[in-house]
Amino acid sequence: MAIPMAMATPTDSLSRVWSMSSLKSSLPSVTCRLPSSSPPRPVTLRLPSFSGLSPVNPLISTGLPGWQSFEDGFKIIDGGGRVYAMRHGRRVPKLNRPPDQRKALLRGLTTQLLKHGRIKTTRARASAMRKFVDKMITLAKDGSLHKRRQALGYIYEKQIVHALFAEVPDRYGERNGGYTRIIRTLPRRGDNAPMAYIELV
Amino acid sequence: MAASVDPLVVGRVIGDVLDMFIPTANMSVYFGPKHITNGCEIKPSAAVNPPRVIISGNSNELYTLVMTDPDAPSPSEPNMREWVHWIVVDIPGGTNPSKGKEILQYMEPRPPVGIHRYIFVLFRQNSPVGMMVQQPPSRANFSTRMFAGHLDLGLPVATVYFNAQKEPASRRR
């Protein structure tokens, strides 16, 4: 709201009082009646502003009927999800990371496993990435262009995807699932984290 | 996850390289101060020289030692399975491979890609082998089973394996 300074000049050079009329005329016009009477009378504001997503303020009554309680002003839209205090039935491994970082970590790990054939990582990560490695090999088994593009969207290096699609039918043609093997090994020295080798079968 | 608790089965040494056997001899392999246990991690820089191997048994028995790598050049594509690193025959029991006849000179582990398994296999010989075996034409595509069949060595008597991967070229600070 830039107040044009040129307009706000004192009416005469000797007076210290600013004229409000020039200021008021420069401001955008707001048609509102400021409450001059006592507060118990409800105030109606017609503001030319967007108020679509805010819950209707019960203090500003626009004539909608029948609120009995606070929740009536809100329409709760949820997927029917239940919130428990415990972890019962939750099978997604969180790996101590927010979802975007978790996805990136798993993408990187599957890329490295498909590149090197055997990697050493922590047991939690190894058992979390099994699902995604199997998924990539299943995409390669199908072999169509759509599946290839889906694999390219997940694996970070495209040569690995092309090599995977070339060799998976020979290597895993008869095997149904279970394309990885996890071998537990000694804990890491720095933080005693349980480690494991994960390898392509 | 593992069908059996035997680390050789879990690590697929039995399966890729060897057949199921019952160990009847003791073999201890040392790279410097480090004793090799199944699946331990060894740096290639520590394995430059041949290890110190102590074989049990009495001195009128002869043993054969083979060291191979089934994951050459990469565990995901082992085209050159197996790559043989060391073959020593006619080792008298209770001693080390320096007393035997080295058919193939020791080559240090040099894994280019991924984590490779390096397997020491010990066979008991029925008779002195000496002249019957020559150096294999190339180190690649070696078959320990066929080698044992060719020399009539039967099943191995002891096995141990370790893992090694390429060390990063620059010093990690």
Side-chain angles (χ1 to χ4, degrees):
Chain A
M1 242 182 8
I3 302 172
M5 298 303 284
M7 295 193 58
T9 52
T11 45
D12 62 10
S13 53
L14 295 179
S15 162
R16 294 287 186 264
V17 177
W18 294 84
S19 161
M20 286 304 291
S21 61
S22 60
L23 278 176
K24 257 193 196 165
S25 59
S26 66
L27 288 172
S29 64
V30 171
T31 57
C32 74
R33 294 196 336 262
L34 298 175
S36 53
S37 56
S38 55
R41 191 168 68 86
V43 174
T44 57
L45 290 176
R46 285 185 293 117
L47 298 171
S49 64
F50 178 66
S51 61
L53 291 179
S54 63
V56 185
N57 196 332
L59 297 176
I60 304 172
S61 148
T62 55
L64 283 181
W67 288 325
Q68 312 301 323
S69 66
F70 176 69
E71 285 91 6
D72 288 349
F74 292 85
K75 201 172 220 145
I76 298 176
I77 304 169
D78 60 357
R82 310 289 307 269
V83 175
Y84 294 102
M86 298 143 281
R87 197 189 56 94
H88 288 185
R90 299 197 209 163
R91 293 172 54 190
V92 172
K94 288 217 203 144
L95 301 174
N96 294 322
R97 278 166 170 80
D100 51 348
Q101 223 186 92
R102 190 187 317 150
K103 180 172 176 188
L105 171 70
L106 289 167
R107 282 174 73 179
L109 283 171
T110 57
T111 304
Q112 294 296 308
L113 177 63
L114 293 172
K115 181 174 178 182
H116 291 106
R118 182 183 290 131
I119 59 174
K120 182 174 174 184
T121 173
T122 65
R123 275 183 216 169
R125 291 179 199 169
S127 83
M129 66 188 273
R130 284 178 297 174
K131 172 177 170 185
F132 298 98
V133 175
D134 288 356
K135 197 164 261 202
M136 287 298 115
I137 295 184
T138 309
L139 287 181
K141 262 190 174 178
D142 185 291
S144 64
L145 174 63
H146 179 53
K147 300 282 190 285
R148 187 181 288 256
R149 286 186 173 161
Q150 284 184 317
L152 282 166
Y154 192 83
I155 305 284
Y156 281 124
E157 295 174 35
K158 63 180 199 176
Q159 297 151 335
I160 297 179
V161 172
H162 297 318
L164 186 73
F165 273 68
E167 72 162 60
V168 151
D170 313 321
R171 203 163 149 190
Y172 296 116
E174 284 92 34
R175 194 179 284 266
N176 293 326
Y179 308 111
T180 59
R181 174 181 298 127
I182 294 186
I183 303 171
R184 291 169 294 180
T185 176
L186 296 168
R188 182 159 60 186
R189 181 176 176 264
D191 55 359
N192 206 35
M195 302 294 279
Y197 287 106
I198 178 167
E199 60 186 30
L200 295 170
V201 157
Chain B
M1 262 188 302
S4 132
V5 289
D6 186 6
L8 297 174
V9 175
V10 171
R12 297 307 302 162
V13 169
I14 293 179
D16 288 342
V17 178
L18 306 172
D19 302 312
M20 190 72 207
F21 69 97
I22 300 175
T24 53
N26 290 324
M27 172 170 65
S28 307
V29 183
Y30 295 87
F31 273 111
K34 187 143 176 139
H35 177 241
I36 305 292
T37 54
N38 278 320
C40 68
E41 179 99 17
I42 302 284
K43 287 191 195 173
S45 55
V48 173
N49 295 319
R52 191 165 59 100
V53 184
I54 301 170
I55 303 170
S56 68
N58 42 10
S59 49
N60 53 0
E61 291 171 332
L62 297 173
Y63 293 90
T64 297
L65 179 70
V66 178
M67 174 178 166
T68 69
D69 169 16
D71 299 322
S74 144
S76 56
E77 280 158 59
N79 301 321
M80 297 196 257
R81 171 174 287 176
E82 310 149 18
W83 184 280
V84 60
H85 283 259
W86 202 24
I87 304 179
V88 189
V89 297
D90 290 339
I91 309 169
T95 61
N96 55 11
S98 59
K99 308 280 190 306
K101 185 159 170 287
E102 196 180 48
I103 303 295
L104 187 59
Q105 199 185 20
Y106 177 79
M107 185 182 115
E108 54 154 10
R110 262 183 291 155
V113 175
I115 303 177
H116 291 220
R117 297 166 289 174
Y118 293 93
I119 309 171
F120 290 98
V121 192
L122 189 72
F123 297 94
R124 187 176 283 131
Q125 291 170 215
N126 301 320
S127 56
V129 154
M131 289 303 115
M132 279 174 41
V133 61
Q134 321 89 323
Q135 222 177 23
S138 93
R139 289 187 185 248
N141 296 110
F142 182 77
S143 170
T144 309
R145 289 190 180 102
M146 278 182 30
F147 181 78
H150 177 61
L151 294 180
D152 193 26
L153 295 171
L155 291 175
V157 296
T159 301
V160 76
Y161 83 99
F162 67 93
N163 293 318
Q165 57 181 325
K166 189 163 138 184
E167 288 169 74
S170 58
R171 292 269 315 204
R172 294 184 12 182
R173 300 191 187 281

